[in-house]
Amino acid sequence: VLISLSSMQLLRTCADLFRLVPFLVFIIVPFMEFLLPVFLKLFPEMLPSTFETESKKEEKQKKKLNAKLELAKFLRETIAEMAKRNKADTG
């Protein structure tokens, strides 16, 4: 478990470093920082993970949970349909 947590943290850190690269443009080009809110509105995933608010983290978790629930519902319906077909074939 410890290895997977450290590897996940390393992966998140690397992703954050790659997300910081576009910010170099805002630093190098004069007056480009005024367009930063526009870019953040267009590309909300551009911010590193340390800049996420709790509400955004909760929203992401809710979306993941809803996706998992939809997948589970689909799989449950598929299995039920397959069971009906098997009963019809054998019965």
Side-chain angles (χ1 to χ4, degrees):
V1 175
L2 184 61
I3 294 172
S4 64
L5 290 176
S6 62
S7 63
M8 288 175 51
Q9 186 176 11
L10 178 64
L11 183 63
R12 189 180 72 216
T13 303
C14 290
D16 286 345
L17 287 174
F18 285 119
R19 288 180 184 160
L20 286 175
V21 171
F23 283 105
L24 291 176
V25 174
F26 294 103
I27 294 170
I28 295 172
V29 177
F31 301 107
M32 188 74 168
E33 64 270 7
F34 294 116
L35 293 177
L36 186 59
V38 174
F39 280 95
L40 290 177
K41 186 68 175 175
L42 293 174
F43 307 105
E45 297 296 321
M46 196 164 93
L47 283 175
S49 62
T50 55
F51 290 100
E52 286 183 350
T53 61
E54 287 297 320
S55 61
K56 286 198 177 196
K57 286 181 184 178
E58 288 177 8
E59 184 179 328
K60 279 186 181 180
Q61 287 178 344
K62 286 180 184 178
K63 284 182 181 179
K64 284 183 183 179
L65 180 62
N66 284 336
K68 288 180 181 180
L69 289 173
E70 289 295 321
L71 179 62
K73 181 180 174 183
F74 171 75
L75 290 174
R76 190 178 327 122
E77 290 173 355
T78 304
I79 290 172
E81 186 176 320
M82 289 175 63
K84 286 179 186 176
R85 285 184 187 173
N86 284 341
K87 284 183 183 179
D89 289 344
T90 58

